[in-house]
Amino acid sequence: MYYCTRAKPIWDLIQNVLTVDDHITHDMVIFGYDTDNVLNHLLSIIIYYIYKEWLVCSLNNLQRKDVICYKSLVNYLKIRRNVYSKCEHTIWVDVCIKIDNLISHIEDVILA
């Protein structure tokens, strides 16, 4: 989930967009150490995306692509944002803001 060469660009992207104080580490991604709740939720969302992509390819005996499909990631993030935007707890409002920032960056810089 963290050291995979296909996942590394996603972690680098999150590091740059969200301006996390320290580098995102293995322990932050896998165990949630040294993260606030908002970042922990966002990392969990990304981990699930990476896992799901791997699982679908594995179950269908497909070779994983060498390049990340950022359009797929954006679509997934938009779905998650739409789900969490209906939640009333303030943590989900903050998660949605971080998701919006990530989506905007991907659409403006990477997909441009």
Side-chain angles (χ1 to χ4, degrees):
M1 294 292 171
Y2 181 75
Y3 293 110
C4 173
T5 57
R6 290 182 180 103
K8 186 66 174 149
I10 294 174
W11 299 123
D12 292 342
L13 177 72
I14 292 170
Q15 177 74 41
N16 293 334
V17 173
L18 301 180
T19 60
V20 179
D21 292 336
D22 295 320
H23 290 290
I24 293 177
T25 65
H26 173 268
D27 289 347
M28 291 171 83
V29 170
I30 303 301
F31 303 115
Y33 292 157
D34 298 328
T35 62
D36 61 35
N37 283 335
V38 174
L39 181 58
N40 195 30
H41 285 298
L42 185 63
L43 295 178
S44 295
I45 292 166
I46 299 300
I47 288 169
Y48 180 74
Y49 172 80
I50 294 167
Y51 172 73
K52 187 176 87 171
E53 186 263 339
W54 171 84
L55 184 62
V56 167
C57 288
S58 296
L59 292 175
N60 293 316
N61 292 321
L62 299 172
Q63 180 69 27
R64 290 175 70 198
K65 298 177 184 175
D66 289 335
V67 179
I68 297 166
C69 179
Y70 285 104
K71 287 183 181 182
S72 171
L73 176 58
V74 166
N75 288 336
Y76 172 73
L77 290 172
K78 286 180 179 180
I79 290 167
R80 303 301 342 149
R81 184 199 54 218
N82 289 340
V83 169
Y84 300 138
S85 68
K86 294 175 181 16
C87 300
E88 294 182 12
H89 194 281
T90 56
I91 193 165
W92 296 114
V93 172
D94 294 338
V95 168
C96 287
I97 290 169
K98 291 202 182 281
I99 290 173
D100 283 336
N101 291 341
L102 191 54
I103 290 170
S104 293
H105 181 76
I106 294 170
E107 289 179 334
D108 292 346
V109 175
I110 295 173
L111 298 178

